[in-house]
Every structure is written in C-alpha cells, then in structure tokens.
Amino acid sequence: MSAPRRERSSAAPELAWRQFAPVLAGLAALLVAGCALTSKSESIAPRYYSPERSGAIETPASPPQGIAAELRLGHVSAASYLDERMVFRDSAFELGYYQEKRWTEAPEEYLRRRLERALFEERGLRHVVGGAAPTLEVELTAF
C-alpha cells in the first residue's frame, strides 16, 4: 500500500503572493528611483549679467561752472518682481523668470550708482548728504 497523497490547496500560493506583493512593489520603486538618482544630467548653472558697459569708459564733459544746484538722492527702490533673477514679459499681464540668468547685483543698487554718476559727476549737481535740500526718491518699475 502506498502512502496517502496530500492534496495541495490552491489558496497557499495565492496567499504567499499577496504577502510579498507590497515588498516586490517597493523593490520595483527603488529600482526606478535608483536609475533616476544615479543618472548624470547637467545641473542648472546660472549665468550672471551686469548692465555695466565693458571696455572704455566715456569721460564726461566738464560740468558747467558757476553755482551748482543741490540735490539729495533719497531712497531708491525696485518693484517686488525685480530681484536677482532676470524677468521677461510674455504679454501685458504676464511676467516670467529666466531659470539660468541672474543679475550680478540688485537692480536698484545699479540704478543708484548710475544716478549718482549721471547727476553728480556728469551733470555737476552738488551731492547733499545732510541738511536741507530737494530730495529725489526713485522707484524702479522696469529694467
């Protein structure tokens, strides 16, 4: 007489598959993420721009002689969307930022320096730091 045969239940392999399905799904996700993490793509390298002219600097004409007008350069501010990122306009209502382009300094700092040069060095106005004098307040809205 032979030994009695045991009948296999078909539920056992299905139960094992259900237990290991989340583990297999996790391994597959790690493999996919591993490929993305180890790939060598180029990183974004910002490029910096300065509105200053390079090369020869023009020497201004001598300022007019006589009594120089006095002026105090007050606060120079910029609109909130003007920062180190370069802005472009798609339409009259939409602004965008370049991902890889940056200014070397804040636009209001450049404007302040350029105004000082134009008013006090080139035009010959007397720069007043303290005391009573007309004050020029500037807000930069486009650059």
Side-chain angles (χ1 to χ4, degrees):
M1 216 177 199
S2 64
R5 268 198 202 179
R6 273 208 253 165
E7 291 200 24
R8 289 188 171 170
S9 167
S10 64
E14 189 174 317
L15 182 62
W17 174 252
R18 285 187 184 173
Q19 289 176 346
F20 290 111
V23 174
L24 291 174
L27 285 173
L30 282 175
L31 286 173
V32 169
C35 292
L37 293 175
T38 59
S39 66
K40 294 183 179 181
S41 63
E42 291 185 29
S43 62
I44 295 177
R47 298 173 72 188
Y48 293 91
Y49 295 87
S50 174
E52 294 283 339
R53 291 184 195 166
S54 61
I57 299 174
E58 297 176 18
T59 56
S62 61
Q65 300 299 322
I67 300 172
E70 297 179 338
L71 183 69
R72 173 182 304 132
L73 186 57
H75 184 69
V76 178
S77 63
S80 62
Y81 55 85
L82 294 175
D83 55 10
E84 77 168 7
R85 299 178 297 172
M86 290 179 134
V87 178
F88 64 89
R89 183 175 293 280
D90 279 342
S91 68
F93 305 104
E94 186 177 0
L95 291 175
Y97 294 98
Y98 290 110
Q99 293 295 321
E100 300 174 359
K101 296 180 179 179
R102 304 279 189 268
W103 292 112
T104 56
E105 63 184 330
E108 62 268 18
E109 293 301 319
Y110 168 75
L111 179 61
R112 171 176 279 286
R113 191 173 61 250
R114 186 64 186 116
L115 281 172
E116 287 174 347
R117 187 179 313 140
L119 295 172
F120 305 122
E121 293 175 17
E122 296 172 7
R123 301 283 181 209
L125 295 175
R126 203 171 115 223
H127 191 187
V128 176
V129 178
T135 303
L136 177 64
E137 301 279 334
V138 179
E139 180 181 6
L140 180 63
T141 57
F143 196 66

